[in-house]
Amino acid sequence: MLIKLEDEEGNIIDESEELMYLHGGYNQIFKKLEDELEGKKVGDTFHVTLTPAEAFGEYDESLVLKELLEDLPEDIYVGAELDGEEEGIVYVIESIDKEHAILNANHELAGITLIASGKILEIEQLSDEAAQELLKEEHHH
């Protein structure tokens, strides 16, 4: 399918040439978007609004930390990623001053309402075995 993600002001966040995903609860796309695509046919279009909770989550201030530079690796830079103490939490360094760095583990689109729109280009029916094979390949990247 062709898909475009915009914010509420109409700014394009992402416009993919083509997005392929496994339909049927495999959690490859947002649930509300998958629900909207249920029953669509080739050539059908879609337009769905996703609240922050339905997309990349609400912005969580507790995921923003101000850390002393002496407590961080020496080779940090703005945009660098650091693993948090909790499994699966990754902080991105947003800014660095003389003594501190600001780290943020929110997704860059957290707290933003998104509008997803596009067109179905192709639908392919897969056997359960083929679907499982695709899922396995996806996890090995």
Side-chain angles (χ1 to χ4, degrees):
M1 73 178 146
L2 293 177
I3 187 167
K4 176 171 64 172
L5 284 180
E6 300 172 89
D7 64 17
E8 289 180 294
E9 284 77 52
N11 299 309
I12 295 176
I13 309 257
D14 186 29
E15 194 165 20
S16 64
E17 291 296 313
E18 284 188 19
L19 172 69
M20 292 175 29
Y21 79 100
L22 281 175
H23 189 83
Y26 294 100
N27 297 320
Q28 291 191 318
I29 63 173
F30 302 121
K31 180 174 180 353
K32 185 172 179 181
L33 178 55
E34 186 168 13
D35 290 347
E36 174 72 18
L37 296 172
E38 182 69 37
K40 297 271 191 217
K41 301 180 292 305
V42 172
D44 285 352
T45 59
F46 59 91
H47 185 91
V48 62
T49 299
L50 302 165
T51 65
E54 295 165 332
F56 292 101
E58 299 291 348
Y59 193 86
D60 183 350
E61 287 294 337
S62 73
L63 294 177
V64 180
L65 306 176
K66 184 176 184 177
E67 297 287 332
L68 287 168
L69 290 180
E70 63 194 46
D71 295 338
L72 297 170
E74 286 184 27
D75 59 349
I76 64 168
Y77 55 90
V78 172
E81 295 182 352
L82 298 173
D83 289 330
E85 291 178 10
E86 289 183 47
E87 183 72 28
I89 301 260
V90 177
Y91 289 91
V92 175
I93 297 177
E94 286 191 333
S95 65
I96 302 172
D97 63 23
K98 289 183 179 179
E99 294 181 22
H100 298 93
I102 303 296
L103 286 64
N104 190 341
N106 283 289
H107 187 280
E108 63 187 72
L109 297 176
I112 297 175
T113 295
L114 298 173
I115 292 103
S117 58
K119 183 176 187 174
I120 309 298
L121 299 177
E122 180 182 355
I123 297 174
E124 184 178 339
Q125 297 292 329
L126 296 179
S127 66
D128 287 343
E129 294 79 23
Q132 292 306 319
E133 194 60 37
L134 278 175
L135 291 170
K136 243 192 290 184
E137 287 175 21
E138 180 181 281
H139 290 288
H140 291 304
H141 290 292

